[in-house]
Amino acid sequence: MTNSQQIYTVSSLNQQIKVLLEQNFISLLLEAEISNLTRASSGHWYFSLKDDQSQVRCAMFKGANRFVQFEPKNGTQVLVRAGVSLYKPRGEYQLLVESMQPAGVGQLQQKFEALKQRLAGEGLFDPAEKQSLPVNIRKVGIITSAKGAAIHDILSILKRLAPNIEVVIYPCLVQGEQAAPNICQMIELANQNTELDLIIVGRGGGSIEDLWAFNEEAVAYTIHYSRLPVISAVGHETDISIADLVADIRAATPSAAAEMISQSSVKIKNHLPGLSHQLNRSIERIIALNQHKLNRYELRLNQQDPVKQMFNQQQWLDEKLNQLHHHLLHKKQTKQTQLNRLEQSLWAAHPKYQLQQQQQNLSGLAARLNTALQNQFKSLSYQHSLLIEKLQAYSPLSTLQRGYSATFDNQGNALHSVEQVKPDEIIQTRLANGSIFSKVTSLNVNTGSQSD
């Protein structure tokens, strides 16, 4: 072992082997016998496929096994289509089965694949060669069994969705050795009908053997060279036939084909109310236009009638007289209004009226003066009361009433200091209810010394 050699983990090794298997064995066919079949609660199937020498583990998931149309059991010989993968946790390679059929159809399946590959190489499946459906489908040819469920389903859906589409049935065999030639014959016959817009070829579901007529080479070429567009509606959704691949359009079922061609009729049906409304509006416009023309012609004819012309002149004269009457009445009303204004102006200038006005003004001014004097008196009285209250609040008498006294010298000056008086002077002490006259015998200052 060299240092440059890569060292794998088991998981990385299994992952690379898984990728190699899945890339190189994408899809293969295998015919073998089922053994160890287990149906898990999840819906998946797990089993082995074996022959007399070997076996391989297989898994078929629920999404694929729901299309299996028979009951597989241990010991059943089957043909499966599968891809190869690897289950990493156990390192076991296994087949992931995509489809399963009884082993008896193996040869048919190989024949199908071979024809499919050859026709594809010839370009019969090329989309560029396919025709589109007509926009307006009026008449359809249906090539199928006259007694099968397919024709019943198609007619039932067309009757419900597109009753305007006319149907021509070309009954044919859809199973057995003579089915393929019969189908080709009916396709060619339908192409001779110049009134048809397209053809539906198909039948209901069945096994691969039942559907094999639609995998025949002759049917494929006849559909490819059809002048009319061909819709193939063979079997169920999971059934793919050569006819489906060659046809211009493939429908999953006969019912789906009927619904497909009904779409144009459904669209037209949905547009009918709008078209009807547009038609009604167009008719109404035409009627209105013609009515307008008729009215104009009647007017011109009436204008030429002498009797009506006389009536028109009389009507004109009546209108003029009426206008003159209204004019004179308006003029009279205007003059009357002017006269009333002049009378009011004259009355307003009369001395008696002026005197009354002045008296009224004088009375109003006297009332206003009286009101102003009363308001002024009230205001001054209020201010006087306020001043009295303030004076009483600051009056010395109020202070004396509280037990205080005031002292004055013999000149009536208020004494504030002992230095303002001398011994033997007469002083006056004012109390709340009178005065006391005293003679100074001694003075006492704050320092505590006395002076005679």
Side-chain angles (χ1 to χ4, degrees):
M1 181 180 297
T2 62
N3 292 333
S4 61
Q5 193 170 8
Q6 182 178 357
I7 300 175
Y8 289 92
T9 64
V10 175
S11 296
S12 63
L13 177 62
N14 283 349
Q15 177 62 31
Q16 290 201 22
I17 294 174
K18 175 181 171 69
V19 172
L20 288 173
L21 289 173
E22 291 177 351
Q23 288 180 347
N24 288 278
F25 299 94
I26 298 174
S27 180
L28 55 85
L29 292 173
L30 181 67
E31 186 172 335
E33 178 185 328
I34 294 178
S35 67
N36 301 320
L37 175 61
T38 301
R39 291 180 172 85
S41 59
S42 61
H44 306 322
W45 295 351
Y46 300 98
F47 53 92
S48 297
L49 288 177
K50 67 176 185 176
D51 55 20
D52 56 352
Q53 295 181 352
S54 302
Q55 68 176 6
V56 61
R57 293 294 299 168
C58 302
M60 190 173 192
F61 299 123
K62 180 173 62 175
N65 65 40
R66 65 190 180 94
F67 295 110
V68 176
Q69 299 180 3
F70 70 101
E71 185 68 22
K73 299 178 182 178
N74 290 327
T76 303
Q77 197 77 9
V78 294
L79 175 68
V80 300
R81 179 178 292 279
V84 181
S85 183
L86 183 131
Y87 185 58
K88 284 177 58 178
R90 289 199 298 266
E92 296 178 353
Y93 96 91
Q94 62 180 0
L95 300 184
L96 299 181
V97 179
E98 302 167 2
S99 64
M100 179 185 294
Q101 302 178 48
V105 301
Q107 294 181 353
L108 288 178
Q109 187 67 36
Q110 292 178 3
K111 185 177 179 182
F112 174 87
E113 294 294 338
L115 180 60
K116 175 183 174 182
Q117 186 175 0
R118 181 162 59 83
L119 294 180
E122 295 178 9
L124 268 67
F125 306 156
D126 188 356
E129 298 292 328
K130 298 181 184 296
Q131 303 183 65
S132 301
L133 287 182
V135 176
N136 188 13
I137 301 173
R138 296 185 177 87
K139 198 168 186 178
V140 177
I142 301 176
I143 301 172
T144 188
S145 171
K147 299 180 181 180
I151 188 63
H152 176 269
D153 293 343
I154 293 174
L155 294 178
S156 176
I157 291 173
L158 290 180
K159 182 178 180 181
R160 175 170 55 88
L161 297 180
N164 59 300
I165 295 179
E166 187 178 348
V167 174
V168 179
I169 299 175
Y170 295 89
C172 67
L173 299 173
V174 292
Q175 186 173 335
E177 294 182 0
Q178 298 302 317
N182 196 197
I183 293 170
C184 294
Q185 180 184 1
M186 291 299 106
I187 294 174
E188 293 172 353
L189 182 61
N191 272 275
Q192 296 174 13
N193 189 339
T194 57
E195 297 181 353
L196 293 182
D197 296 308
L198 59 89
I199 301 170
I200 297 176
V201 180
R203 58 155 290 164
S207 65
I208 189 170
E209 294 94 338
D210 296 337
L211 305 178
W212 191 253
F214 296 90
N215 292 323
E216 292 286 357
E217 183 177 352
V219 173
Y221 282 114
T222 305
I223 292 175
H224 178 70
Y225 291 113
S226 172
R227 176 184 64 85
L228 295 170
V230 177
I231 298 177
S232 176
V234 179
H236 300 298
E237 185 175 359
T238 57
D239 298 322
I240 303 295
S241 66
I242 296 295
D244 291 334
L245 300 174
V246 177
D248 297 295
I249 295 176
R250 186 234 172 187
T253 62
S255 297
E259 292 176 358
M260 190 180 298
I261 66 173
S262 300
Q263 294 307 308
S264 60
S265 298
V266 170
K267 290 180 181 178
I268 293 173
K269 184 178 180 180
N270 292 335
H271 289 160
L272 280 179
L275 295 174
S276 177
H277 179 67
Q278 292 179 9
L279 179 61
N280 290 334
R281 290 186 60 184
S282 298
I283 293 174
E284 289 173 358
R285 283 198 296 269
I286 293 173
I287 292 175
L289 180 62
N290 290 329
Q291 183 66 47
H292 179 69
K293 290 181 179 179
L294 178 61
N295 294 339
R296 193 166 66 248
Y297 293 149
E298 287 181 353
L299 179 62
R300 291 175 59 185
L301 182 61
N302 291 336
Q303 289 174 350
Q304 303 299 324
D305 188 347
V307 176
K308 291 189 176 181
Q309 287 184 6
M310 184 183 67
F311 287 156
N312 291 336
Q313 292 298 324
Q314 184 64 48
Q315 183 178 2
W316 179 84
L317 180 60
D318 291 339
E319 289 178 354
K320 292 301 180 183
L321 288 173
N322 188 42
Q323 291 176 4
L324 178 60
H325 173 73
H326 284 292
H327 176 70
L328 293 175
L329 182 61
H330 177 69
K331 198 166 181 96
K332 178 183 176 182
Q333 291 176 346
T334 303
K335 295 298 183 183
Q336 185 64 45
T337 301
Q338 292 177 354
L339 179 60
N340 293 337
R341 274 203 309 269
L342 291 173
E343 287 180 350
Q344 291 177 358
S345 300
L346 181 61
W347 174 251
H350 195 280
K352 181 180 179 180
Y353 178 75
Q354 292 287 339
L355 181 60
Q356 291 177 350
Q357 289 291 106
Q358 293 298 329
Q359 288 177 346
Q360 291 178 358
N361 293 338
L362 182 60
S363 299
L365 291 173
R368 289 172 58 188
L369 178 60
N370 186 36
T371 301
L373 288 174
Q374 290 179 359
N375 292 337
Q376 183 70 18
F377 179 75
K378 289 179 181 180
S379 177
L380 292 174
S381 297
Y382 178 72
Q383 293 178 11
H384 180 259
S385 299
L386 292 177
L387 291 173
I388 289 174
E389 290 177 359
K390 288 182 179 181
L391 182 60
Q392 289 178 350
Y394 294 108
S395 173
L397 296 178
S398 297
T399 304
L400 296 177
Q401 290 290 341
R402 294 197 299 272
Y404 293 92
S405 62
T407 304
F408 303 91
D409 61 13
N410 56 8
Q411 300 298 323
N413 298 317
L415 296 179
H416 303 289
S417 174
V418 296
E419 297 174 353
Q420 291 180 260
V421 296
K422 297 177 180 179
D424 297 328
E425 284 189 8
I426 302 300
I427 59 173
Q428 180 185 359
T429 300
R430 179 74 177 270
L431 300 175
N433 58 352
S435 300
I436 298 174
F437 295 90
S438 306
K439 182 178 181 180
V440 178
T441 59
S442 63
L443 298 175
N444 186 15
V445 294
N446 288 337
T447 57
S449 62
Q450 291 185 350
S451 159
D452 292 337

